[in-house]
Amino acid sequence: MDNKFNGERNIWSTATAAEENISTASSSSQSQPPRMQSLPFLPPENHIHRANGFSSHDSDLQTLESSFGGLSFADSSTVRQNSTRRRPRPRRFSDVGGGSSSGVNGAGGDSGVNGGGFSFRPSPYHRELEELQSFNQNQQRLLYQNNCVNQSYGYDTLDNGFLNGVPYAPRNHVSDQNPWGYYTDGFGSEINNAWRSINGYNQDQMENRRGSLYAIAKDAVWSKKLVETIYQGTKETIDTIFDRIIVHICELMVDPYGSDVVMLLIGKCCSEQIIQIVDLVTQDMFQFVNICFDLRGTAAIQELLDSIHKRANDQIPRIMDLISSVGLQLARSSNARSLILSCFRLFPLSHCRYLLEVVAQHCYEISIDQNGCCLYQQCLDKNRVPNPEIRQRLISEVISHALRLCLNCYGNYVVQYIVELNNQHVINALVRQLIGNYAHLARNKYGSHAVQKLLRLRGIDTRLIVVDLLSQIDTLLLDPFGNYVIQTAWFVSKDDVRHMLRYHIELNIRLMRCNKFGNKILEKLNI
């Protein structure tokens, strides 16, 4: 390669000498415009060394690229002036050598570029160097992005000068087989020491590092290791982990990875530790509501309720007072509503009475909510709430608000649900509660469903409902929703009731034939 570059130096020397002759000849007839000062060549101080198997040939190319960056060229006007006399030479790349030939010069000296107006074309070696440099930059960026996503990067500078001052991960933890090499310095060394402390190492160094396990619990990879340690750990290990993360217990409850650690840890805690958790959870009501609204936070609180039921019964009044004070907000939440079911299922009525009154007194507000109506139906299920007193109290409130609930898009499902319980006493009470309002309900989109549900029941006397409908039969026969109620009443009634319906239909048959809803009744009943 040296012979090749020495040959190129001879070409450059000849070209530069010819340029000097041309410049001297033109100066007698016309003054030459000023040209930029040529920068002296400074040999690079640091060579780029790689450990990936490239030869010294690449090192020479990198040094060549560094030296070429310091060269300057003549003013463009000179190029235009000389272009009338001679054609510009093709762009060529200079060589790197030692002694007097360590630059690009016209006479073999060290002065840099002599002679203006030349343009240089990159050599294949230059393009190879640029491609290698671009490849290395892309690799480092990919490593940095990969580790930034997993929060495992450290701040350092690369020794090759490509990404100086840019934070990067010195190792790719995905392919690293050493579990202790995941974090290398800075914040990572603190996590390594914390992890070793879990297994009984460096206990003295961890006395003032109470935030380290908090960072491990929030990490996507190391949280799984921490869960395994808690699952297989002894009481001393559980106590050590608990002491490190207890101050961050509320934040970890809603963390995507920390919630798994907290749930498993709560299941391993003793009664004294459960009391500490209850102290932190109940000290801020707004923080407790935010935890309950979160899907992971709800699961953590449910695990806490189970632990209180099993190992800390004296903490039931404290946690129930807090849940009861925000019971209405929890009942209308898609996630937190399950906490109310857990309280009714786990704790005796003496501790749940206040919460029961909150739910019962706000029966209408809860039942007309999309999430609240689901909660109310679940509370009426004896498999979910075994206590019959709780269910009876809630059913009585539904019956008292039955008229308004039947007219609501969500509340009517609660009324239909208590009908499906097949409790004859409850059904009779509901039928009596709605007497005088069946015609009004039949003209409503949602109320008509509730009326049809009652008409299809076999254990009731449908005469009570049909007589109430006959009071406004002329309107119902032509109503978009009432006509379906009349059709249902026809098919479920006995002969005496059908005679009454036929009599009123024949009186309004002319109007019915002029109305599309009336025609539906006539076609359905074959009249």
Side-chain angles (χ1 to χ4, degrees):
M1 186 182 71
D2 293 338
N3 294 331
K4 181 179 179 180
F5 281 110
N6 287 333
E8 290 187 2
R9 280 201 298 273
N10 295 332
I11 295 174
W12 283 108
S13 300
T14 304
T16 308
E19 178 64 19
E20 289 178 353
N21 295 332
I22 295 173
S23 301
T24 305
S26 62
S27 62
S28 60
S29 60
Q30 183 179 352
S31 61
Q32 185 175 357
R35 63 180 67 183
M36 297 176 62
Q37 183 71 23
S38 298
L39 296 178
F41 169 72
L42 295 177
E45 297 179 359
N46 296 326
H47 292 279
I48 304 175
H49 300 284
R50 293 180 178 82
N52 54 6
F54 289 95
S55 63
S56 61
H57 168 72
D58 301 312
S59 177
D60 293 339
L61 289 177
Q62 296 163 2
T63 308
L64 182 62
E65 188 267 349
S66 177
S67 63
F68 186 75
L71 300 180
S72 62
F73 303 94
D75 187 73
S76 61
S77 62
T78 305
V79 178
R80 291 192 299 270
Q81 179 182 358
N82 293 334
S83 63
T84 60
R85 299 173 179 267
R86 59 184 302 277
R87 186 177 180 178
R89 293 187 178 274
R91 179 186 295 269
R92 295 184 181 277
F93 199 66
S94 60
D95 188 19
V96 178
S100 62
S101 62
S102 62
V104 178
N105 52 69
D110 298 331
S111 59
V113 177
N114 294 326
F118 285 99
S119 60
F120 297 91
R121 183 177 60 187
S123 67
Y125 303 104
H126 186 204
R127 286 193 294 270
E128 179 183 355
L129 177 62
E130 289 181 344
E131 292 176 359
L132 180 62
Q133 178 177 345
S134 176
F135 174 77
N136 288 335
Q137 288 177 345
N138 292 334
Q139 290 297 317
Q140 294 297 338
R141 289 192 183 99
L142 289 175
L143 288 176
Y144 169 63
Q145 293 173 0
N146 178 56
N147 289 276
C148 279
V149 171
N150 296 279
Q151 300 179 355
S152 60
Y153 54 83
Y155 286 85
D156 204 345
T157 56
L158 301 179
D159 57 356
N160 57 11
F162 288 155
L163 288 176
N164 286 333
V166 179
Y168 80 106
R171 277 182 168 183
N172 183 3
H173 71 274
V174 176
S175 60
D176 196 351
Q177 301 299 323
N178 180 11
W180 308 118
Y182 179 75
Y183 298 100
T184 54
D185 52 25
F187 183 74
S189 62
E190 186 173 314
I191 297 182
N192 283 339
N193 292 333
W195 181 255
R196 291 186 178 92
S197 70
I198 298 175
N199 297 275
Y201 299 103
N202 298 335
Q203 292 290 343
D204 296 335
Q205 298 180 8
M206 286 301 298
E207 292 300 328
N208 297 322
R209 295 178 181 266
R210 293 184 176 271
S212 299
L213 287 185
Y214 168 68
I216 291 177
K218 297 183 68 175
D219 186 81
V221 177
W222 287 99
S223 61
K224 298 179 181 178
K225 300 288 186 180
L226 187 57
V227 167
E228 294 177 2
T229 303
I230 296 174
Y231 183 76
Q232 301 174 358
T234 61
K235 186 179 183 305
E236 291 74 13
T237 303
I238 300 300
D239 294 341
T240 301
I241 298 175
F242 180 84
D243 293 338
R244 298 295 185 264
I245 67 174
I246 181 60
V247 294
H248 304 287
I249 194 74
C250 294
E251 292 89 343
L252 292 176
M253 282 183 176
V254 297
D255 187 77
Y257 308 108
S259 59
D260 296 333
V261 177
V262 171
M263 291 173 61
L264 186 59
L265 185 63
I266 291 176
K268 297 279 187 176
C269 288
C270 61
S271 59
E272 291 78 9
Q273 293 170 338
I274 292 176
I275 293 175
Q276 296 183 44
I277 298 176
V278 173
D279 292 338
L280 293 174
V281 169
T282 58
Q283 67 181 1
D284 189 350
M285 182 178 64
F286 297 102
Q287 185 183 45
F288 177 77
V289 172
N290 290 332
I291 294 174
C292 295
F293 283 174
D294 185 80
L295 179 62
R296 301 177 184 88
T298 298
I301 297 298
Q302 283 184 342
E303 186 66 29
L304 179 61
L305 294 177
D306 292 335
S307 299
I308 291 175
H309 173 66
K310 295 176 182 177
R311 298 187 295 275
N313 290 332
D314 55 334
Q315 298 301 310
I316 295 178
R318 294 182 60 191
I319 195 69
M320 286 304 303
D321 289 342
L322 180 60
I323 294 177
S324 300
S325 61
V326 294
L328 181 59
Q329 291 81 3
L330 300 183
R332 293 186 288 189
S333 171
S334 59
N335 297 320
R337 71 190 190 201
S338 59
L339 296 178
I340 296 179
L341 285 173
S342 298
C343 293
F344 289 154
R345 176 177 54 86
L346 295 174
F347 304 140
L349 182 60
S350 58
H351 292 102
C352 298
R353 192 171 298 278
Y354 182 33
L355 177 61
L356 175 61
E357 291 301 320
V358 170
V359 176
Q361 292 176 7
H362 296 88
C363 170
Y364 179 74
E365 291 83 354
I366 295 174
S367 298
I368 64 175
D369 182 79
Q370 182 178 5
N371 298 307
C373 73
C374 297
L375 169 67
Y376 222 99
Q377 294 177 59
Q378 293 171 351
C379 291
L380 300 177
D381 186 1
K382 63 180 180 180
N383 295 324
R384 296 176 181 269
V385 181
N387 195 323
E389 297 183 21
I390 296 177
R391 291 185 279 112
Q392 187 61 38
R393 177 73 175 89
L394 297 177
I395 289 174
S396 62
E397 289 295 328
V398 172
I399 293 175
S400 61
H401 296 87
L403 178 59
R404 291 196 299 168
L405 291 177
C406 287
L407 300 174
N408 184 264
C409 59
Y410 298 116
N412 77 93
Y413 291 108
V414 179
V415 176
Q416 294 182 51
Y417 187 83
I418 66 171
V419 173
E420 294 173 354
L421 294 177
N422 293 326
N423 189 326
Q424 194 63 39
H425 176 73
V426 172
I427 294 174
N428 293 335
L430 179 61
V431 171
R432 291 193 298 269
Q433 179 70 24
L434 296 177
I435 288 179
N437 298 287
Y438 287 107
H440 175 62
L441 293 175
R443 295 195 304 270
N444 182 268
K445 177 180 179 180
Y446 308 108
S448 61
H449 295 297
V451 177
Q452 288 179 275
K453 176 77 73 173
L454 291 173
L455 287 172
R456 293 191 180 100
L457 293 177
R458 296 182 178 181
I460 65 171
D461 186 7
T462 58
R463 185 185 297 270
L464 296 175
I465 301 177
V466 173
V467 170
D468 196 355
L469 294 175
L470 291 177
S471 61
Q472 300 183 23
I473 187 65
D474 299 341
T475 305
L476 294 177
L477 292 174
L478 307 177
D479 189 78
F481 306 109
N483 74 92
Y484 293 104
V485 177
I486 297 300
Q487 295 178 39
T488 304
W490 174 275
F491 288 110
V492 301
S493 300
K494 297 180 180 181
D495 294 337
D496 55 342
V497 177
R498 287 186 180 181
H499 289 310
M500 290 189 296
L501 290 174
R502 177 179 286 273
Y503 172 76
H504 289 280
I505 291 174
E506 291 177 351
L507 289 177
N508 297 275
I509 193 169
R510 292 184 179 180
L511 293 176
M512 293 174 64
R513 293 189 185 280
C514 299
N515 183 275
K516 65 177 182 178
F517 304 111
N519 277 323
K520 287 184 178 181
I521 298 176
L522 296 177
E523 294 174 0
K524 195 73 174 180
L525 304 182
N526 294 323
I527 299 177

